[in-house]
Amino acid sequence: MAGSSQHGHGHTPAAWTGSIISFVGFCVAGVFMVAANAPGFWAGMGLILLGGVVGLAMKAAGLGTPKESEELVRARQLAGKPQVQAQAPVQVAGATVKAEAKAEATSEPQTQTA
């Protein structure tokens, strides 16, 4: 399923913004941890949490993965059902005979013409 965005792998402005802010917070916390500066470390930790909050807020504002519409859900359900396939007339011993088309997944009876 490479290249499929059906599962929403985070390719949204909300996901990117939240991830970038959290990454910057991680870097800040790491630098200040090595420098033995507790307030700077906790500021970086605060940035990490802020990234999550900003990402969720942007998702709530509509910048996350869009919800599926009713039409898309119906189309996805119908995609697995057999489709009608029209077939060309077949020549049999000088007479033209129409081949039956495959029926859709309905309960309608098919009629045969001579």
Side-chain angles (χ1 to χ4, degrees):
M1 288 188 236
S4 172
S5 62
Q6 178 180 357
H7 302 292
H9 296 283
H11 301 294
T12 64
W16 278 102
T17 304
S19 297
I20 290 171
I21 292 172
S22 295
F23 177 72
V24 170
F26 175 79
C27 292
V28 168
V31 167
F32 281 107
M33 183 177 64
V34 171
N37 184 330
F41 169 77
W42 288 110
M45 294 301 286
L47 276 175
I48 293 172
L49 294 175
L50 179 67
V53 170
V54 167
L56 288 175
M58 289 179 70
K59 181 179 177 184
L63 295 171
T65 304
K67 294 182 181 180
E68 292 185 341
S69 67
E70 294 286 329
E71 182 181 355
L72 182 61
V73 171
R74 271 184 270 133
R76 195 170 280 139
Q77 290 172 347
L78 291 175
K81 294 184 179 180
Q83 304 294 313
V84 175
Q85 297 176 355
Q87 296 179 351
V90 180
Q91 289 283 345
V92 179
T96 303
V97 179
K98 291 185 179 179
E100 288 187 37
K102 292 184 180 179
E104 275 188 66
T106 64
S107 60
E108 295 178 19
Q110 288 191 354
T111 58
Q112 191 173 18
T113 58

